[in-house]
Amino acid sequence: MSTGPSEYAGELRERAAAALSVFRLRDRLRDYQMLVKPKITRLVVVTAAIGFVLAWRQGHAWTWLMLVGTLAGTAMSCMAASVFNQVIERRTDAKMPRTADRPMAAGRVPTAEAWALGGALLLLGQAALCMFGTPLASALAAFTVATYALVYTPMKRWSPAALYVGAIPGAMPPLIGYTAVTGELFTQAALAAWVVFAVMAVWQVPHFLAIGVMYRDDYAAAGLAMHAVRDPSGASSRRNTVIGCVVLLAAGALPTWLGFAGWIALAVASVGGLVFLAFALRWVWAVRGEGVGYAVERRWARRVFFASLIYLPVVLAAIVVDAR
């Protein structure tokens, strides 16, 4: 029996509707991927694993299930923080070219849906950390999400000090990984995890100051109170970058000074810290001349930024490998 024109047209409409549905689902999943910021999540998982390894190197018992569950719980907590951050900053993100295409800024994902996604990830993350780690690790992860989303994120609108507040949740993953194994935070052995926390917290200062200069115009358009916005000359950004690099030299030496790592870690941290500081000082020197424009400032800020990207994984790897 032959198919009539109307039946054939109806079949085409059904196929088109099915294809459109798949296309929309694919787009929504892509938006969800942008919301959870997979690159940042990977970094958080790696640094949480460092805390886990430090506990193992100290002789604490662990299992593969504990490791996988801890990293999964930490990852979901990080994803939740990223979602909450983009919901809260959707209006400011819409004003910056580099973030205007984010799902919340572009209005592609409803606000209620994003809140629900973030809430689900947060609850699942805490459940995983409690089940496979410890309640203390879960509490630290919840504190990290709350500090990042409810303190650091809104604080960026009115104070450059948000940078230093944001360094706290940014450095928490090693403590989460360590306490997931040990359930301890304020013991002499736990100083090893606190040292890694200190290195990561201090490292964020020059790292994000450089980013602030690189995207100064974007942040100014969004009305965010970054150092580079409040001081367009860049002087405070350069000064605090140098100070941060100097403090980082001392922080990088702490593992050896406190007996948690050997001389290899000290050598790597010292060389890496001196190179990082050299880039910061070169940035200061490069813009001392009169008539130097924003292009030069931005170029050197970018170099400091890339130096920071090399410093952190190399120094953290040395600390873990040489841990005692």
Side-chain angles (χ1 to χ4, degrees), residues 151-167:
V151 182
Y152 163 71
T153 296
M155 191 176 178
K156 287 195 295 182
R157 301 175 187 173
W158 54 270
S159 176
L163 167 65
Y164 311 106
V165 173

Side-chain angles (χ1 to χ4, degrees), residues 36-291:
V36 301
K37 295 183 179 179
K39 290 183 180 179
I40 293 178
T41 300
R42 282 196 293 269
L43 175 61
V44 166
V45 167
V46 169
T47 52
I50 288 174
F52 199 101
V53 171
L54 287 175
W56 163 59
R57 294 291 294 272
Q58 291 178 355
H60 293 277
W62 65 282
T63 65
W64 285 106
L65 186 60
M66 183 188 298
L67 174 61
V68 173
T70 295
L71 298 184
T74 304
M76 286 186 283
S77 298
C78 175
M79 291 176 184
S82 295
V83 174
F84 293 149
N85 169 265
Q86 290 182 67
V87 173
I88 296 169
E89 289 196 322
R90 61 189 183 278
R91 294 184 178 87
T92 53
D93 281 348
K95 298 177 182 178
M96 297 188 288
R98 74 185 185 93
T99 58
D101 191 49
R102 286 177 176 176
M104 300 309 302
R108 293 194 301 270
V109 177
T111 302
E113 184 177 326
W115 279 118
L117 173 63
L121 288 169
L122 178 61
L123 291 175
L124 288 171
Q126 304 320 298
L129 286 168
C130 280
M131 185 180 301
F132 301 106
T134 65
L136 179 57
S138 175
L140 290 178
F143 168 80
T144 301
V145 175
T147 305
Y148 183 82
L150 303 179
V151 182
Y152 163 71
T153 296
M155 191 176 178
K156 287 195 295 182
R157 301 175 187 173
W158 54 270
S159 176
L163 167 65
Y164 311 106
V165 173
I168 296 173
M172 288 297 292
L175 294 180
I176 296 171
Y178 184 85
T179 56
V181 181
T182 67
E184 300 172 348
L185 190 60
F186 300 108
T187 62
Q188 184 174 359
L191 277 175
W194 279 108
V195 165
V196 178
F197 167 87
V199 170
M200 289 188 60
V202 176
W203 168 84
Q204 290 176 81
V205 174
H207 175 76
F208 285 108
L209 282 169
I211 292 177
V213 172
M214 289 164 55
Y215 298 105
R216 184 190 68 189
D217 294 342
D218 276 17
Y219 292 129
L224 298 179
M226 313 294 286
H227 277 278
V229 174
R230 290 292 180 87
D231 179 12
S233 71
S236 64
S237 296
R238 296 190 299 271
R239 179 175 63 251
N240 286 293
T241 295
V242 171
I243 293 172
C245 287
V246 171
V247 176
L248 192 59
L249 268 173
L254 282 176
T256 302
W257 289 349
L258 297 176
F260 298 121
W263 291 101
I264 295 176
L266 177 62
V268 172
S270 298
V271 173
L274 288 172
V275 171
F276 197 2
L277 176 60
F279 272 91
L281 291 172
R282 185 66 182 85
W283 178 15
V284 173
W285 184 262
V287 298
R288 287 186 65 184
E290 295 183 5

Side-chain angles (χ1 to χ4, degrees), residues 9-61:
E11 183 180 348
L12 286 179
R13 283 195 296 270
E14 289 178 2
R15 290 182 180 180
L20 182 60
S21 177
V22 171
F23 180 75
R24 287 174 176 170
L25 176 61
R26 193 174 301 161
D27 280 350
R28 182 52 55 89
L29 292 177
R30 189 180 298 113
D31 284 336
Y32 280 1
Q33 183 180 24
M34 293 178 67
L35 281 172
V36 301
K37 295 183 179 179
K39 290 183 180 179
I40 293 178
T41 300
R42 282 196 293 269
L43 175 61
V44 166
V45 167
V46 169
T47 52
I50 288 174
F52 199 101
V53 171
L54 287 175
W56 163 59
R57 294 291 294 272
Q58 291 178 355
H60 293 277

